[in-house]
Amino acid sequence: MALSENKPRILLVEDEEALATLVTYNLEAEGFVVEQAAHGDDADLMLIENPPDLLILDWMLPGVSGIEICRRLRAREQTKTLPVIMLTARGQEDERVRGLSTGADDYIVKPFSVPELVARIRALLRRSKPERVADQLIAGDLVLDRETRRIHRAGREIDLGPTEFRLLEHLMEKPGRVYTRAQLLDAIWGMSAEIDERTVDVHVGRLRKELTTGREIDPIRTVRGAGYGFDDAYGK
Ligand code: CA
C-alpha cells in the first residue's frame, strides 16, 4: 500500500483531449494530483462528490457550461471559496468578463505556456490554502514541521511512523473538521487502497499514544458515529 502524499489535488475540466493530456502530464510532473473531466455534467458531479483543492475550467464544454458549473459551485457551501482558473480561447473577451463575474478567480488564454499556468496555480493555492504551503503546523504546544518531518510537543520530540505522521498532518491542516474513516482512508492511504476502516482506528490509537504521555490532553477528538478530528480548542 502506497502512502498518498500531501499533494494538492487539481480537477482539470477540458474537452480537448490533447490539451488535457499535455496539461495533466506537466502538472503531475510539478507535483500535483490531477483528475480530469471532459464533460460538464461529469465535472459538476465530481465537484459535489469530492471537491479538489483547485479547479481548472474550460469555458466551452459539452453538457453543463463552464459558466454554469462556476455559478453552481459558488452557491454550494463546500466549494464557495474553491480557487478556479478558467481557460478561454483568444478573442472571447465577453466570456472572460462573464467568467470573472460568475466567480472565477483567474483566467488564462489559450494557447498558454505550462509554466505560466503553474505559476497561476501556485499563486492561487498560496492565497486560498496557506496551510498547504506552510512549513510548520502549530497548535498550542504541538509543532509539526514538514521540512524536517519532526514533531515536538512542549519541546519533547515525538517519534511517529509515516502513517501516523501523515494522519496528524492531515488532521492539523483543518482543526475542528471531523473526517469519517472512509475519508481518512482516502486521504492517507489513497483511493485505491482496499483496507478495512478499522485500520484507521488502529493508527489513530497509535498516534494518540505517542502524542500524549501522563496527563497530557489528547488533541484528537473522536466523534461518535462520525469519525476523527483535531480539536480546534486545543492550545487555546
Ligand atoms: Ca472546449
Side-chain angles (χ1 to χ4, degrees):
M1 83 190 164
L3 290 177
S4 88
E5 294 165 55
N6 184 40
K7 294 177 175 176
R9 277 177 50 237
I10 294 176
L11 176 60
L12 171 65
V13 184
E14 169 59 74
D15 59 316
E16 287 169 50
E17 207 184 319
L19 180 60
T21 305
L22 175 78
V23 170
T24 300
Y25 175 82
N26 282 284
L27 293 185
E28 284 177 349
E30 291 287 335
F32 299 105
V33 173
V34 183
E35 284 156 29
Q36 283 187 36
H39 196 281
D41 297 35
D42 296 340
D44 198 40
L45 198 65
M46 288 164 89
L47 285 162
I48 293 169
E49 288 181 343
N50 193 15
D53 296 312
L54 182 140
L55 173 66
I56 301 173
L57 182 62
D58 182 31
W59 232 227
M60 307 291 270
L61 290 169
V64 182
S65 72
I67 283 183
E68 180 58 19
I69 289 173
C70 205
R71 197 190 60 73
R72 288 185 192 175
L73 72 88
R74 286 294 180 243
R76 287 190 294 266
E77 190 58 36
Q78 245 191 320
T79 48
K80 217 164 59 184
T81 61
L82 175 73
V84 178
I85 299 176
M86 60 188 266
L87 304 179
T88 64
R90 205 167 282 284
Q92 291 180 331
E93 289 293 343
D94 293 355
E95 295 301 303
R96 229 167 289 161
V97 173
R98 270 176 79 198
L100 293 174
S101 67
T102 317
D105 298 280
D106 200 357
Y107 68 88
I108 195 159
V109 181
K110 295 180 194 174
F112 52 85
S113 78
V114 173
E116 189 189 351
L117 178 63
V118 170
R120 302 281 186 96
I121 291 171
R122 291 205 196 284
L124 268 183
L125 283 175
R126 258 197 305 276
R127 258 193 279 155
S128 68
K129 294 220 159 193
E131 75 278 4
R132 278 294 168 104
V133 284
D135 290 342
Q136 289 190 332
L137 299 173
I138 302 167
D141 60 1
L142 192 61
V143 181
L144 181 148
D145 192 309
R146 287 178 163 144
E147 294 261 289
T148 60
R149 310 294 289 178
R150 284 175 198 270
I151 296 167
H152 286 88
R153 181 167 187 180
R156 162 175 68 94
E157 181 162 0
I158 294 168
D159 192 19
L160 293 181
T163 304
E164 284 75 28
F165 184 95
R166 180 68 196 93
L167 189 57
L168 181 62
E169 185 183 20
H170 191 69
L171 295 177
M172 283 182 80
E173 277 175 2
K174 286 196 177 154
R177 157 121 194 231
V178 176
Y179 296 91
T180 65
R181 289 167 177 81
Q183 284 171 332
L184 289 173
L185 276 182
D186 236 34
I188 313 299
W189 284 268
M191 300 273 278
S192 58
E194 285 180 30
I195 305 168
D196 196 287
E197 289 192 358
R198 276 169 298 187
T199 305
V200 176
D201 301 333
V202 172
H203 286 278
V204 169
R206 281 187 205 158
L207 174 59
R208 280 193 160 126
K209 192 160 166 267
E210 294 299 329
L211 283 182
T212 54
T213 58
R215 288 195 208 161
E216 280 178 327
I217 295 165
D218 184 357
I220 312 288
R221 285 177 65 212
T222 303
V223 180
R224 277 217 302 184
Y228 298 105
F230 191 87
D231 191 350
D232 55 354
Y234 179 74
K236 288 189 179 144

